[in-house]
Amino acid sequence: MAASGPVYLGLDLSTQQLKVLAVKSNLETVFEEAVSFDDDLPSYGVRKGVFVNDKDDEVYAPVAMWIEALDLILQRMKTRGFDFSRVKGISGAGQQHGSVYWSQRAETVLSNLSSEKTLLEQLSPAAFSWKFSPNWQDHSTSSQVAAFDACVGGDDLLAKATGSGGHHRFTGPQILRFVQLHPEEYSATSRISLVSSFLASLFLGKIAPIDISDVCGMNLFNIETETWDDRLISLAATASGSPNPKATKALYEKLGEVEPDGGKNLGPISSYFVEKWGFPSDCAIIPSTGDNPSTILALPLHPQDAIVSLGTSTTILMSTEKYYPSPAYHMFNHPTTPGLYMFMLCYKNGGLAREEIRDAINKASGVEDHSWALFNKAATETSVLGKADENSKAKVGFYFPLPEIVPNVHSPGFYRFEVDTKSNEIESAAWDITADARAIVESQALSMRIRSAPLLDPKNPQPRRVYLVGGGSKNKALAKVLADVLGGYEGVYKLDVGNACALGAAYKALWAVERSSPDEQFEDLIGKRWNEEGKVEKVMDGYTKGVWEKYGEIAQGYSDAEGRVVKGDVKGDTSLI
Ligand SMILES: Nc1ncnc2c1ncn2[C@@H]1O[C@H](COP(=O)(O)OP(=O)(O)O)[C@@H](O)[C@H]1O
Ligand SMILES: O=C(CO)[C@@H](O)[C@H](O)COP(=O)(O)O
């Protein structure tokens, strides 16, 4: 790490890892470190960062594991000689929707930490009324989601109010389920944090407010009125469903105020971190946000640009001036800039579903490891939509080893169809596993293309640039198929920045501390200092004439085939081979 000047930390508490990244005022990344939950903290017994209870459709993570990960990452930073005294601001990104339930003693414990001990020793279990946090892959809340949609007159109206229709993973339905299933632990809860505000609370030494963007992943906050939605808070607060003003008031208190300014200095870092690790006592704690909102802060994003995040989940993100809500996708408040919104689609069967196909292809060829070579060869050496020639049928597949968010499919399954692109006739089909490599990436990209169309200029309906981030962004075969389907008239780029969520968080901390006034916008400050050399690599031409149009021809057939899967008109295969 270079010798002098302030640095800003961004942390990313995501599904499988805790990552940290430090930047200097000129946006140069000077330090990165990560802790993997499965590999570095095996005593918790999680797989890919979570516990799965198939019987009840629950997916959750132990809060203690995240705290131990923070102890460990700080220790690793120290061992590598990181100079904590230069850190002037910290912000974070958290996997979205997860909730943390603090005990009545939490504030006292948080504000009296002894630097002689670890965070884990002091906080867990004392500071929590529930030792787990529901994960975004959880799908145990069907009845609660139905109640949320019904409460405001349907998923259209819920989306209009909160930016999203009812979703299993959203925090409001999760809180309602907690109220119903764990009434004692709920009444022993002093405050409820999101994963992002939980992370900020650890550094702040008191419960941090929920931020203005991540709050939109709860189905509880009304984006139009910019306040908690009283109808939905009342609903989430009572197990019985009949309104109870006392219970509603209690939930308001547990949730606290939402911080409207993404760049607010919430206060100095807790003295624990000053004494134990040598942070300066004036290091500012800035609101943490969701991992997806944080990702759009990793570069100055233009209106027609899209970010595709190829992480555990696969998401497509765009920044937009239009508040154009629909139950088909999510709209969030922008994490830093009032008047802007973030558009998002999130696929649960993203990276993990691609991995299943990769492993099946490898197994069929007698390859024992988890290498991507055969998958990549199969994805790029096959023809567009698996069509042997102009007159043959297109292969369209849907691969949902887990219940899917987009589209809303409750039963896991694998579905393969052949579609006549001229007549849009569809029939169930079977093919060799190698054809699935191209089909899964095409299918995910077609879903993104069709659903993001309303956000694009109708006269120019493809993104300007597509930026790839996340673990899968280093894979050129994925980039090629995404480029073919989505286009991108300036091309497909890889953000060569380590972890984009952590980087976005570090930039947010930098902007918050160094902005000349509260009116200096994030885009202006970062835009002025941003130099894309070394940070952005063009990996593929985007638009290929003729190819992009071919994918346009399948849009109707694709949507019809997907409709059959959603309605349950066809039975999916339970295994890939
Ligand atoms: N070479 C690769 N090709 C395709 N996918 C990859 C490759 N390397 C990693 N991945 C994917 O990246 C995912 C992890 O992404 P990452 O962004 O690090 O995690 P998280 O979503 O938890 O933040 C893995 O699930 C894996 O599917
Ligand atoms: O549920 C969503 C977004 O709505 C997920 O994107 C989570 O935010 C977790 O992300 P990763 O751990 O895959 O980065």
Side-chain angles (χ1 to χ4, degrees):
M1 181 175 160
S4 64
V7 298
Y8 300 91
L9 289 189
L11 287 104
D12 171 28
L13 177 41
S14 66
T15 313
Q16 306 193 46
Q17 297 175 68
L18 175 67
K19 301 164 203 158
V20 66
L21 186 149
V23 296
K24 292 202 300 184
S25 298
N26 66 0
L27 309 187
E28 186 193 343
T29 299
V30 288
F31 191 88
E32 283 183 76
E33 185 56 89
V35 164
S36 153
F37 304 137
D38 289 18
D39 300 339
D40 296 322
L41 299 169
S43 65
Y44 292 90
V46 292
R47 218 180 137 246
K48 302 214 183 247
V50 292
F51 293 122
V52 178
N53 165 12
D54 278 329
K55 185 171 79 56
D56 299 314
D57 294 334
E58 290 174 331
V59 184
Y60 53 97
V63 177
M65 176 180 79
W66 296 339
I67 297 174
E68 191 169 351
L70 183 55
D71 282 327
L72 181 57
I73 211 163
L74 290 164
Q75 184 55 56
R76 285 186 176 174
M77 291 168 81
K78 185 173 175 178
T79 307
R80 284 180 52 198
F82 182 82
D83 182 358
F84 292 100
S85 72
R86 288 173 56 195
V87 181
K88 290 289 176 209
I90 303 177
S91 184
Q95 52 180 287
Q96 296 196 260
H97 321 294
S99 36
V100 174
Y101 298 83
W102 297 96
S103 68
Q104 303 294 343
R105 290 170 57 206
E107 292 264 21
T108 312
V109 178
L110 272 174
S111 58
N112 287 292
L113 294 171
S114 153
S115 59
E116 302 293 307
K117 294 183 180 166
T118 64
L119 288 171
L120 182 70
E121 284 169 305
Q122 300 177 83
L123 288 170
S124 179
F128 304 100
S129 55
W130 185 243
K131 60 181 178 176
F132 299 114
S133 173
N135 177 263
W136 61 275
Q137 294 162 97
D138 182 282
H139 43 275
S140 64
T141 52
S142 294
S143 68
Q144 293 80 7
V145 166
F148 268 69
D149 284 336
C151 171
V152 294
D155 63 350
D156 270 328
L157 291 176
L158 187 60
K160 188 169 178 296
T162 69
S164 300
H167 285 277
H168 291 127
R169 68 195 193 288
F170 274 47
T171 327
Q174 290 287 344
I175 292 174
L176 175 56
R177 185 169 186 269
F178 190 66
V179 170
Q180 291 167 338
L181 259 59
H182 306 288
E184 276 175 33
E185 288 83 356
Y186 177 72
S187 61
T189 300
S190 66
R191 296 289 303 269
I192 301 174
S193 289
L194 292 178
V195 177
S196 55
S197 57
F198 157 76
L199 185 59
S201 304
L202 297 179
F203 283 108
L204 196 58
K206 61 182 183 200
I207 311 293
I210 293 176
D211 109 297
I212 191 67
S213 183
D214 212 14
V215 73
C216 302
M218 300 179 84
N219 278 148
L220 290 175
F221 188 77
N222 192 310
I223 296 181
E224 292 189 313
T225 60
E226 297 178 17
T227 52
W228 294 115
D229 191 306
D230 201 49
R231 300 163 299 176
L232 299 165
I233 300 284
S234 305
L235 170 68
T238 46
S240 66
S242 40
N244 171 343
K246 222 172 121 200
T248 304
K249 184 166 173 280
L251 181 53
Y252 272 115
E253 283 165 8
K254 292 182 208 293
L255 292 169
E257 299 288 325
V258 176
E259 175 49 58
D261 177 5
K264 170 99 174 176
N265 181 346
L266 298 175
I269 193 165
S270 138
S271 56
Y272 171 82
F273 294 91
V274 178
E275 288 156 23
K276 188 165 179 82
W277 301 107
F279 282 91
S281 55
D282 63 350
C283 170
I285 305 305
I286 308 303
S288 293
T289 188
D291 57 352
N292 294 297
S294 193
T295 298
I296 66 169
L297 303 179
L299 76 167
L301 203 64
H302 288 235
Q304 285 276 117
D305 291 344
I307 296 184
V308 175
S309 169
L310 299 165
T312 308
S313 60
T314 284
T315 59
I316 179 163
L317 313 167
M318 294 172 73
S319 165
T320 166
E321 283 172 7
K322 283 196 240 176
Y323 182 60
Y324 197 77
S326 155
Y329 48 75
H330 309 295
M331 300 285 313
F332 290 76
N333 285 318
H334 191 279
T336 60
T337 313
L340 287 185
Y341 301 92
M342 185 185 93
F343 160 89
M344 177 173 84
L345 287 166
C346 174
Y347 302 90
K348 198 188 285 182
N349 292 290
L352 301 184
R354 291 189 293 271
E355 282 174 23
E356 286 208 18
I357 293 178
R358 173 201 67 188
D359 292 344
I361 292 174
N362 284 352
K363 195 166 167 212
S365 301
V367 174
E368 296 285 320
D369 62 20
H370 297 304
S371 59
W372 287 91
L374 293 178
F375 178 99
N376 293 353
K377 189 165 181 297
T380 47
E381 291 186 355
T382 40
S383 49
V384 168
L385 294 164
K387 285 172 80 161
D389 57 53
E390 263 315 294
N391 296 320
S392 55
K393 292 184 178 166
K395 294 185 172 63
V396 172
F398 299 93
Y399 304 88
F400 304 144
L402 291 170
E404 183 50 79
I405 301 166
V406 189
N408 185 2
V409 175
H410 197 72
S411 311
F414 303 99
Y415 304 83
R416 298 176 180 92
F417 299 95
E418 281 188 342
V419 180
D420 183 326
T421 38
K422 297 201 175 73
S423 66
N424 286 328
E425 256 172 58
I426 305 165
E427 57 193 7
S428 289
W431 55 66
D432 184 80
I433 182 75
T434 50
D436 286 322
R438 185 174 191 97
I440 188 173
V441 190
E442 284 181 335
S443 182
Q444 293 172 341
L446 274 166
S447 173
M448 294 178 195
R449 172 166 161 176
I450 293 165
R451 291 184 163 90
S452 63
L455 270 292
L456 296 171
D457 177 357
K459 289 189 242 94
N460 195 4
Q462 36 170 313
R464 182 187 79 117
R465 289 183 175 191
V466 176
Y467 291 102
L468 303 181
V469 300
S473 64
K474 53 180 160 299
N475 185 321
K476 292 262 168 70
L478 299 184
K480 171 69 183 136
V481 180
L482 285 160
D484 284 349
V485 180
L486 297 175
Y489 50 89
E490 280 196 11
V492 173
Y493 294 75
K494 177 179 179 311
L495 254 188
D496 229 349
V497 293
N499 180 267
C501 324
L503 183 72
Y507 284 177
K508 184 147 110 69
L510 185 165
W511 160 72
V513 174
E514 295 198 5
R515 61 184 173 175
S516 51
S517 79
D519 297 330
E520 187 176 12
Q521 293 199 336
F522 177 86
E523 290 76 10
D524 293 337
L525 187 145
I526 299 297
K528 267 187 238 147
R529 300 183 191 187
W530 169 262
N531 170 5
E532 70 178 26
E533 206 178 309
K535 294 198 180 73
V536 168
E537 182 199 346
K538 184 167 180 178
V539 286
M540 217 49 75
D541 285 332
Y543 174 68
T544 308
K545 196 165 166 35
V547 173
W548 186 79
E549 287 77 5
K550 268 195 196 138
Y551 285 107
E553 288 165 18
I554 192 72
Q556 188 59 51
Y558 176 91
S559 301
D560 292 348
E562 188 191 85
R564 289 197 189 182
V565 174
V566 173
K567 281 200 216 106
D569 289 351
V570 279
K571 212 174 153 336
D573 295 326
T574 49
S575 68
L576 275 169
I577 308 188

